[in-house]
Amino acid sequence: MQLLCRFDTPDYDEWKKTFDADAEDRMNAGLTLLQLWRDADTPSAALALFEVNDRKRAQAWIEKETGFGHALTADFLKPAL
């Protein structure tokens, strides 16, 4: 299972520093970063694709991040048949 997250931030460079510093927390939530993109139409926004090793822990991480007031949307994905 994978998780696609969109982060809307007013300052991408500051967000990226915080995102990089949060790598261990994401790892503890069972998330492995597969790809990180910047939105071509909204340069301050970023999209991240994660491999999910534990959906319950990943969901808890999402709730924690949004609880801190981070502008985050998240969708769990599974392969289409």
Side-chain angles (χ1 to χ4, degrees):
M1 176 179 303
Q2 295 179 329
L3 174 65
L4 182 63
C5 294
R6 179 185 173 95
F7 301 89
D8 290 299
T9 177
D11 185 341
Y12 175 84
D13 293 328
E14 283 303 312
W15 172 85
K16 181 69 164 76
K17 289 177 191 175
T18 303
F19 181 81
D20 289 345
D22 194 38
E24 185 174 349
D25 192 38
R26 290 190 308 273
M27 181 185 70
N28 290 334
L31 297 172
T32 302
L33 181 64
L34 299 175
Q35 186 71 47
L36 182 65
W37 300 277
R38 288 184 77 171
D39 187 316
D41 296 323
T42 309
S44 61
L47 291 99
L49 180 64
F50 299 99
E51 182 69 31
V52 177
N53 299 314
D54 184 319
R55 183 174 178 155
K56 187 176 180 179
R57 288 186 352 215
Q59 184 65 48
W61 175 82
I62 293 166
E63 291 169 8
K64 181 187 71 148
E65 291 296 307
T66 56
F68 287 144
H70 297 163
L72 164 67
T73 56
D75 294 296
F76 287 96
L77 307 172
K78 63 181 183 177
L81 300 176

